Amino acid sequence: MLVEIGRGALRRILAGAGVLLFLQAVYPACASVFLEDQTWTELRDLVAAGTTTIIIPIGGTEQSGPAMALGKHNVRVKFLAEKIAAKLGNALVAPVIAYVPEGNIDPPTEHMRFPGTITISDKTFEQLLEGAARSFRHAGFKTIVLIGDHGGYQADERHVADRLNAEWKKTPVRVFAALDYYRFAQGPYTDKLLAAGATRAEIGTHAALADTSLMLAVDPSLVRKDRLASPPTLGAGDGVYGGDPARSSAQFGQLGVDLIVNGTTDAIRAFIASQTK
């Protein structure tokens, strides 16, 4: 059945269609929040339209026991950064920084005792973060957020943010070291796991139940499930610290994903709001 449309209504429909086509051109239906997926003109237009927050996700390439791939931190921080940017609605995600301080090479310390771990100095790492932040300021971003998935460089994030904020204090650009991102994966996540039935003896600090469950929730392809309980007890010599990953699950991990994404999003919003007062 045909329905007659008045001229005024038709004009409104056509005008709306024009706006829709324009928005689709600037923001495709499956628009990515990743900076590297944009052309330079798309990025220019996004910044001009108010997308002025950029998240720099920091991972690391390190051993995570016999059951998790070396790229755990890089995959996880990219996944979580994407969710945080989507919740913010006016943010993009920079390429993941995969080269971070992981200990000394000679003699080898910390994770450098295991093949595959890559390390750089704290000085080089901080220079890398500074260079990235200066590039994003040049591109028009006003809020530059650092989120780090590994505990070893949290202080470096703060040092960089403090230095650049002091230098840029007369400008509207600020760097936010979102250290809560990592903190939520510690105590608050542990509390959630305990309430869900995990034990302190399982949770651990590295490559044990908490860490492995987060990875299962993010990307189970990076976890070798058949190695979680083989040998029956995994310890520091295997690269597993303070716990037992045998009962790890995506369900346990989702508790951490929700905490990190929601908590970090709220922290970024609070930081931005504090800068506009």
Side-chain angles (χ1 to χ4, degrees):
M1 180 175 64
L2 296 176
V3 178
E4 184 176 351
I5 301 175
R7 290 182 178 178
L10 182 59
R11 281 197 297 269
R12 288 193 295 272
I13 291 171
L14 291 174
V19 171
L20 180 61
L21 288 172
F22 171 76
L23 290 175
Q24 287 176 337
V26 178
Y27 304 99
C30 56
S32 169
V33 297
F34 295 113
L35 178 87
E36 55 207 304
D37 290 339
Q38 317 298 324
T39 68
W40 78 264
T41 54
E42 290 167 344
L43 177 63
R44 175 199 61 197
D45 295 344
L46 285 168
V47 171
T51 300
T52 57
T53 296
I54 184 78
I55 298 171
I56 301 178
I58 310 164
T61 306
E62 66 176 32
Q63 73 84 21
S64 287
M68 269 195 292
L70 293 160
K72 172 196 75 177
H73 282 305
N74 302 323
V75 172
R76 192 159 71 196
V77 76
K78 183 175 183 178
F79 175 91
L80 296 172
E82 179 181 22
K83 289 190 170 295
I84 293 165
K87 284 182 71 70
L88 287 170
N90 64 339
L92 292 177
V93 178
V96 173
I97 294 177
Y99 296 85
V100 306
E102 292 280 5
N104 297 325
I105 294 175
D106 187 17
T109 61
E110 302 178 36
H111 298 305
M112 293 308 299
R113 295 179 293 112
F114 300 85
T117 304
I118 302 170
T119 193
I120 61 175
S121 70
D122 289 276
K123 180 180 178 180
T124 299
F125 176 65
E126 290 190 15
Q127 288 175 333
L128 175 59
L129 292 184
E130 284 196 20
R134 292 183 191 281
S135 298
F136 293 132
R137 177 177 181 246
H138 178 69
F141 290 99
K142 298 294 188 293
T143 305
I144 301 162
V145 181
L146 308 176
I147 60 171
D149 207 67
H150 176 48
Y153 48 67
Q154 298 293 305
D156 294 316
E157 294 177 59
R158 171 62 70 191
H159 295 160
V160 170
D162 288 347
R163 279 199 301 270
L164 291 179
N165 286 334
E167 179 182 336
W168 297 342
K169 62 183 178 181
K170 294 183 179 180
T171 78
V173 182
R174 292 293 179 269
V175 180
F176 178 43
L179 304 186
D180 281 339
Y181 171 95
Y182 185 75
R183 291 178 186 142
F184 283 120
Q186 307 308 304
Y189 180 32
T190 295
D191 292 341
K192 288 283 187 181
L193 289 172
L194 291 170
T199 67
R200 289 194 182 276
E202 295 175 300
I203 291 171
T205 58
H206 178 80
L209 181 140
D211 199 6
T212 307
S213 292
L214 264 180
M215 199 67 247
L216 286 170
V218 169
D219 187 348
S221 73
L222 269 67
V223 179
R224 317 301 191 245
K225 294 183 180 180
D226 61 318
R227 299 179 190 172
L228 290 178
S230 178
T233 55
L234 297 170
D238 305 294
V240 178
Y241 304 145
D244 181 1
R247 285 206 310 134
S248 301
S249 71
Q251 290 73 30
F252 278 149
Q254 190 61 44
L255 299 173
V257 168
D258 293 340
L259 271 173
I260 294 167
V261 171
N262 294 332
T264 306
T265 302
D266 289 343
I268 294 170
R269 285 176 174 156
F271 175 81
I272 293 172
S274 72
Q275 303 307 305
T276 58
K277 290 181 180 178

